[in-house]
Amino acid sequence: MFSSKKSDPFFESLLTIAKNVQQGVNYAYECKIENVSDLKQISVNMKSYETAGDKLIHELIVMLNQSFMTPIEREDILDLAIKLDDVLDGIENTLAHFEMYSFIEVNEAMRQFLHFIMMSVDEAVKAMELLNRKDLLGMRKHAILIKNYERECDEIFRSSITQLFQTEKDPIRLIIFKDIYEQFEEIADYCQNVANTIETIIMRNA
């Protein structure tokens, strides 16, 4: 099944979904928040990536429903697609909270979170490129790197929460910062879910 050189439309769809996530995360990493008025446009732009992701997931579901044969289990294809899209949904939701709070204080911990999330998504795209080449075993190294980046985010979360409770005296600011940190940590967990799903697919098919 995996010896065919012909490109598979399901694997192409997964790569397209991963690249859309990558574009959205890169936008979040590169965007500048200098004042409250920036937040609305950033939220609008992030929503466009999230909407595009939903459309790609819908198209994949239609294709799965119309196909008798799939290159791997259809449940694994859909699960991987949804896990990838969860990362983008998480980023969009976090930036929506920035707007909701009128929050513009992006600090080094938040930049580090986004840096490792961005690198995780880059690895996911590389894994999907290998999947398109039907190199399942080659995907494992990218799954391992994603898990390593998630552990980095765990350390950032612990240290940032510790520092927050040691230094922040305003209860409202403490609640906001804690919420934002927790959301970034959850996105890192979504990235790890992608890695776990990749490893499951390798185990079942390689």
Side-chain angles (χ1 to χ4, degrees), residues 6-7 13 35 37 56 62 69 72 77 89 96 101 114 116 118 140 159 174 201 205:
K6 185 178 179 181
S7 180
S13 178
N35 52 62
S37 63
L56 290 169
V62 170
M69 294 286 291
I72 59 177
I77 294 171
D89 289 346
Y101 294 137
L114 262 178
F116 285 113
M118 182 175 65
R140 180 169 284 123
S159 62
L174 188 147
I201 289 171
N205 298 278

Side-chain angles (χ1 to χ4, degrees), residues 4-43:
S4 173
K5 299 298 182 182
K6 185 178 179 181
S7 180
D8 184 89
F10 294 102
F11 294 161
E12 288 179 348
S13 178
L14 287 169
L15 178 57
T16 301
I17 289 167
K19 286 183 175 179
N20 182 63
V21 176
Q22 184 183 47
Q23 290 168 4
V25 173
N26 285 346
Y27 170 77
Y29 184 77
E30 297 293 339
C31 68
K32 305 297 183 185
I33 302 176
E34 296 177 348
N35 52 62
V36 173
S37 63
D38 293 332
L39 296 173
K40 178 62 177 177
Q41 188 59 51
I42 290 169
S43 290

Side-chain angles (χ1 to χ4, degrees), residues 1-8 12 132-135:
M1 177 166 56
F2 286 106
S3 62
S4 173
K5 299 298 182 182
K6 185 178 179 181
S7 180
D8 184 89
E12 288 179 348
N132 270 262
R133 297 201 291 271
K134 304 181 177 64
D135 180 7

